Amino acid sequence: MDSVPLKGGRGSASMVQKCKLCSRENSIDILRDTMKPYNAEDNEQFKTIVQFECRGLEPVDFQPQAGFAAEGAESGTRFNEINLQEKDWNDYDEKVKESVGIYEVTHRFVKC
């Protein structure tokens, strides 16, 4: 994951944005040690998969893109570079001769 330095040598963040009105620097940092997988047993449940440190910004929407990965629950087959931009993905698992997929991706942000 990319990291952008903060002005004044105050560390770095995953995203830094400057306010056009007041020129204040705002940031969101992905807390890497909070990242957790979403497994088959989590199906149809909300689960915290990542936490952010937000300074001056608040996330309101999530647009999944490419870069996700999955593993067949029964076969262990790896599916890499899954693109969830359409909020659905499907493929075929040759080992178990079944269709596999991720459907109706939803999200929510919870303030801590």
Side-chain angles (χ1 to χ4, degrees):
M1 279 186 217
D2 294 335
S3 190
V4 179
L6 295 169
K7 189 169 79 176
R10 297 179 296 129
S12 62
S14 304
M15 184 187 96
V16 178
Q17 186 174 33
K18 191 174 188 177
C19 177
K20 292 179 183 178
L21 298 174
C22 69
S23 298
R24 179 182 168 186
E25 191 174 76
N26 303 298
S27 64
I28 295 179
D29 194 30
I30 298 170
L31 302 177
R32 286 157 183 78
D33 59 338
T34 68
M35 296 177 77
K36 295 180 175 76
Y38 188 87
N39 300 311
E41 45 286 347
D42 302 317
N43 190 31
E44 296 189 25
Q45 298 177 58
F46 280 103
K47 175 183 176 181
T48 300
I49 60 171
V50 67
Q51 294 179 9
F52 306 98
E53 181 178 330
C54 303
R55 296 179 183 237
L57 297 172
E58 184 176 329
V60 293
D61 196 13
F62 172 64
Q63 294 287 0
Q65 302 288 320
F68 288 88
E71 183 176 298
E74 296 172 15
S75 67
T77 301
R78 293 276 306 162
F79 298 93
N80 296 309
E81 294 304 315
I82 294 173
N83 186 332
L84 292 173
Q85 192 168 5
E86 300 296 322
K87 302 208 183 342
D88 287 327
W89 164 84
N90 58 38
D91 205 332
Y92 190 76
D93 190 336
E94 294 287 339
K95 289 183 183 175
V96 291
K97 305 215 181 317
E98 288 184 359
S99 178
V100 293
I102 299 170
Y103 307 102
E104 300 177 25
V105 174
T106 58
H107 70 279
R108 69 177 172 204
F109 293 103
V110 179
K111 277 189 172 184
C112 297

